[in-house]
């Protein structure tokens, strides 16, 4: 077993819930401390150490650092795209000040923090970024508060590496789809709800228009990518902002057709809302060749294999 002490901040979110389970399998349950702003129910809170932590509470943050002396930190706490537009001031505070509290602790001598993981998003791109085969480097003019915090955060993790040697790894996640945890406040969340509606025998009311193609990634691939980039040898991580990451790209009508191969009577109706404008500011297809070159990234799931796995596992819940 690798001897590290891992702290996951924002552990009860869509990604955190699955990441904690995987990390505890690698490092041992007692060596992975899950934390979030409130205690809930489920494996994250019961299968290993859990601490209530609001990353904006600096006194509590220091208490946790002193108590556990984490060597690896996964800082996931953030407001996602749709929620951030409803509360932009708090979104900036949580997404940015939260990141600075982690980076400033990591640069301090004596805290013992060796590596930080911090997620970015394809939301860091904007309407003037090429929408197909979106390059690692190109125009980045995000129009959402969430995307602005992600792009800004990328510049800061690069600065903290160059100036202070803080080793932060990061991925520009597409929309994440999984069956073990619920998404929260994202513009891609329809792609999770649609499976639940299909199995419940109800039509899906999609908040995006037909034909709105977005980059997506199945959660098992997202978890594997996160651990691969976090565990890669430092000399392989030659790009110190955040790596483009891709799995598949589809529109709501395509995921509907994929589900209909299993449930022929399933239907989707379209009622676009304010999230349509967010989606239209994002890329449709991502070029993640740099992640492949630098640390061997390759997705394993496509739309149909994800649909088969999602429906199979949701039926068991
Ligand atoms: C969101 N699920 O919708 C997140 C993600 C690319 C989208 O960052 O905000």
């Amino acid at each position: 077993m690798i001897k590290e002490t891992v702290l996951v901040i924002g552990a009860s979110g869509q990604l955190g819930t699955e990441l904690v389970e995987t990390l505890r399998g690698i490092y041992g349950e007692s060596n992975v401390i899950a934390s979030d702003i409130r205690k809930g129910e489920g494996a994250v809170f019961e299968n290993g150490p859990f601490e209530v932590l609001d990353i904006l509470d600096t006194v509590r943050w220091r208490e946790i650092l002193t108590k556990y002396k984490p060597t690896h930190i996964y800082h996931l706490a953030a407001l996602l795209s749709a929620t951030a537009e409803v509360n932009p001031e708090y979104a900036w505070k949580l997404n940015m000040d939260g990141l600075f509290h982690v980076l400033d602790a990591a640069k301090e001598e004596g805290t013992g923090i060796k590596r930080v993981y911090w997620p970015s998003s394809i939301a860091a791109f904007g309407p003037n970024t090429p929408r197909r085969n979106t390059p690692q480097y190109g125009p980045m003019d995000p129009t959402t508060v969430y995307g602005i915090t992600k792009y800004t955060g990328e510049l800061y993790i690069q600065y903290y590496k160059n100036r202070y040697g803080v080793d932060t790894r990061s991925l520009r996640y597409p929309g994440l789809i999984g069956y073990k945890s619920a998404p929260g406040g994202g513009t891609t969340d329809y792609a999770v709800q649609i499976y639940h509606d299909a199995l419940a025998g109800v039509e899906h009311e999609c908040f995006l228009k037909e034909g709105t193609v977005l980059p997506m990634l199945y959660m098992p691939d997202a978890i594997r990518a996160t651990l691969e980039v976090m565990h890669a040898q430092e000399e392989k991580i030659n790009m110190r902002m955040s790596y483009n990451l891709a799995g598949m790209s589809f529109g709501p009508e395509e995921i509907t057709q994929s589900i209909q191969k299993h449930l022929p009577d399933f239907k989707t109706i379209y009622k676009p809302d304010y999230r349509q404008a967010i989606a239209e500011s994002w890329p449709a297809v991502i070029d993640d060749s740099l992640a492949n070159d630098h640390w061997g990234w390759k997705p394993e799931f496509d739309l149909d294999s994800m649909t088969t796995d999602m429906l199979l596992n949701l039926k068991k819940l």
Side-chain angles (χ1 to χ4, degrees):
M1 188 90 59
I2 309 168
K3 182 70 188 96
E4 299 294 355
T5 301
V6 181
L7 171 65
V8 181
I9 303 168
S12 58
Q14 181 193 20
L15 174 66
T17 301
E18 298 212 35
L19 198 55
V20 165
E21 181 185 348
T22 306
L23 289 166
R24 283 176 171 161
I26 295 169
Y27 293 101
E29 289 180 348
S30 59
N31 296 316
V32 180
I33 302 95
S35 71
D36 212 315
I37 200 162
R38 65 182 63 82
K39 191 168 171 62
E41 287 176 4
V44 163
F45 308 96
E46 289 141 22
N47 292 0
F50 175 83
E51 294 283 356
V52 174
L53 169 64
D54 173 351
I55 189 56
L56 298 179
D57 176 347
T58 50
V59 172
R60 181 70 177 136
W61 169 228
R62 289 289 157 172
E63 278 173 9
I64 298 286
L65 286 176
T66 305
K67 181 175 179 181
Y68 292 101
K69 296 190 179 359
T71 57
H72 286 197
I73 294 183
Y74 290 75
H75 176 43
L76 311 179
L79 285 199
L80 297 187
S81 58
T83 311
E85 289 308 298
V86 176
N87 196 341
E89 293 78 12
Y90 178 61
W92 175 265
K93 193 167 179 55
L94 174 61
N95 295 13
M96 295 314 302
D97 290 354
L99 176 59
F100 287 129
H101 293 164
V102 172
L103 294 178
D104 287 336
K107 80 176 169 68
E108 261 174 48
E109 288 301 318
T111 56
I113 299 168
K114 294 190 279 190
R115 280 186 196 180
V116 174
Y117 180 78
W118 173 78
S120 183
S121 163
I122 57 111
F125 294 113
N128 290 298
T129 310
R131 295 203 75 234
R132 291 196 169 272
N133 296 323
T134 303
Q136 178 69 47
Y137 298 105
M140 298 187 77
D141 56 343
T143 55
T144 63
V145 170
Y146 173 68
I148 294 166
T149 65
K150 288 304 179 185
Y151 184 33
T152 309
E154 287 193 29
L155 294 168
Y156 268 106
I157 64 172
Q158 177 177 254
Y159 179 83
Y160 271 68
K161 174 65 175 134
N162 295 340
R163 177 85 187 266
Y164 307 111
V166 174
D167 184 359
T168 301
R169 315 298 173 87
S170 181
L171 300 173
R172 287 173 182 157
Y173 289 125
L176 300 185
I177 299 166
Y179 57 86
K180 291 183 184 174
S181 55
T187 300
T188 56
D189 295 357
Y190 87 88
V192 176
Q193 185 59 41
I194 197 167
Y195 288 108
H196 293 268
D197 291 344
L199 283 174
V202 299
E203 69 182 17
H204 176 69
E205 193 176 287
C206 186
F207 55 68
L208 297 180
K209 281 180 194 164
E210 192 167 355
T212 307
V213 177
L214 287 173
M216 301 281 186
L217 187 64
Y218 194 30
M219 191 62 82
D221 273 340
I223 298 292
R224 181 170 52 84
T226 305
L227 296 178
E228 284 176 2
V229 77
M230 188 63 165
H231 291 156
Q233 292 169 334
E234 187 164 350
E235 56 272 16
K236 288 186 185 291
I237 307 299
N238 296 316
M239 197 282 305
R240 282 297 175 166
M241 289 178 68
S242 184
Y243 281 95
N244 278 9
L245 191 74
M248 59 193 97
S249 289
F250 56 77
E253 72 287 357
E254 293 170 280
I255 189 171
T256 299
Q257 289 153 16
S258 180
I259 293 170
Q260 287 167 340
K261 293 175 185 172
H262 302 260
L263 299 162
D265 298 334
F266 173 62
K267 285 187 178 41
T268 291
I269 59 170
Y270 299 93
K271 293 191 177 179
D273 66 14
Y274 73 101
R275 288 166 285 194
Q276 182 65 31
I278 296 174
E280 287 174 359
S281 73
W282 290 351
V285 181
I286 298 286
D287 171 1
D288 61 357
S289 50
L290 201 72
N292 179 264
D293 293 348
H294 286 192
W295 45 274
W297 162 246
K298 273 208 176 316
E300 289 173 5
F301 284 88
D302 62 14
L303 175 54
D304 282 340
S305 56
M306 172 176 72
T307 295
T308 302
D309 201 62
M310 278 291 283
L311 294 175
L312 185 70
N313 284 286
L314 282 174
K315 279 177 192 161
K316 293 176 189 167
L317 297 184

